[in-house]
Every structure is written in C-alpha cells, then in structure tokens.
Amino acid sequence: MVRGAMTRSLILALGADHGGVALKNRLAAALAEAGHEVRDYGTDGPASVDYPDFAQAVCAAIEDKQADFGILVCGTGIGMSIAANRHPGIRCGLVHDVTTARLTRAHNNANVLALGARIIGEEVALDILHAFLATEFEGGRHERRLAKLNQATETTP
Ligand code: RB5
C-alpha cells in the first residue's frame, strides 16, 4: 500500500455482498500486503446474496473479539451500515471520503467501516481505509456521547 504504513498490525474482518465483492477483494489484498491479518467472511463471487448475512458474520467477529475492525462493502454501503448498527457493540460509519473516515474513528470510535462500491472508486476506498486504520479515538468528551448511544440501545424498543 503506497499510502504509508498503517502503524500496528491488525486483524480485520471483511464482508461484502455481490455489489461489493470486487472492492472487498481489492481491500483484502492491500491489507495483507501491508502486513495485516485478513479474515474474509465472503461473499466470494458475483452471485446475488443478501448483505445482512455478511454484516452479521463480520459484526459477530468484532463482538467476539476475533478481529480489531470490520470492513463491510455493498453497492451503496447503506444496507451494510444499517445491518451493522443494529448490533449494540458495533459503531459502523458509512464513509465516502477521507475526512469522514478520520472523524468516524476520532469522534465515534467506529469499529466497522461501511463502503459503497458503486459510489466511490477503488483509489478513494484505499485512501479511506488507510485514514480509518491510521486514526485513534480521541476519547474525552466523545466518551460521554458514546455512553449515551449505549443507553439508547438499552431503552429503545
Ligand atoms: C444489491 O443490489 C444492493 O442493494 C446492495 O449492494 C446495497 O447497495 C444495499 O444497501
């Protein structure tokens, strides 16, 4: 990856539907090349599949502490982000640019990144991935806000 080293070595859980499989495979290759461990939860080909199945697998890996971060790719990223954010332990950012990639880590402590393969190009996706993994959570006032997200999850029917 030509975007500079991604600091420490991480375990990344990747998932995609048919709309995101090509980009997911490209990101997996870049991550492996950068020295990260990639756990690929599919899909593996162009056959039509249902994005919630792959969001579920990746989010379970994060909640079970089998991976540090999740990367989910579908056509728009929207379905994957909706599915992922139904998990109480998941904070998934749907990101289309480097700035929101950085801020969803710094402010939201996102542990899953959702991307839309039909919305952004491969180069933008690679830049987003680098920014997401290179940014640490800032903590401080953002901790209080994240705690309120968890309260909402517990009380909302
Ligand atoms: C699949 O056609 C498409 O609906 C899916 O990839 C995603 O964009 C859903 O949000």
Side-chain angles (χ1 to χ4, degrees):
M1 189 171 258
V2 186
R3 292 160 179 81
M6 291 181 196
T7 54
R8 62 205 164 98
S9 182
L10 298 165
I11 302 173
L12 287 318
L14 270 61
D17 71 356
H18 52 287
V21 62
L23 180 57
K24 182 262 291 174
N25 291 341
R26 178 68 187 91
L27 299 179
L31 289 165
E33 187 185 330
H36 299 293
E37 180 178 336
V38 174
R39 298 193 179 168
D40 189 341
Y41 290 85
T43 190
D44 300 319
S48 183
V49 293
D50 299 332
Y51 60 81
D53 297 335
F54 301 91
Q56 166 65 30
V58 166
C59 291
I62 303 300
E63 290 176 315
D64 293 345
K65 303 195 186 310
Q66 300 299 308
D68 296 300
F69 295 104
I71 315 293
L72 291 169
V73 191
C74 64
T76 59
I78 297 171
M80 285 294 197
S81 62
I82 291 171
N85 280 316
R86 293 192 171 207
H87 291 249
I90 298 299
R91 294 171 302 280
C92 175
L94 170 57
V95 164
H96 300 108
D97 57 66
V98 168
T99 304
T100 47
R102 174 174 59 80
L103 289 173
T104 201
R105 284 287 307 125
H107 291 185
N108 311 122
N109 199 15
N111 50 11
V112 174
L113 172 67
L115 299 171
R118 295 173 183 158
I119 309 300
I120 58 171
E122 181 182 296
E123 285 296 313
V124 172
L126 287 165
D127 286 343
I128 286 170
L129 184 61
H130 180 263
F132 183 86
L133 296 180
T135 305
E136 298 291 338
F137 177 49
E138 287 179 6
R141 67 191 187 280
H142 302 295
E143 293 275 14
R144 183 180 70 243
R145 294 160 187 167
L146 295 188
K148 289 187 178 183
L149 288 180
N150 289 340
Q151 286 167 13
T153 303
E154 285 158 18
T155 55
T156 302

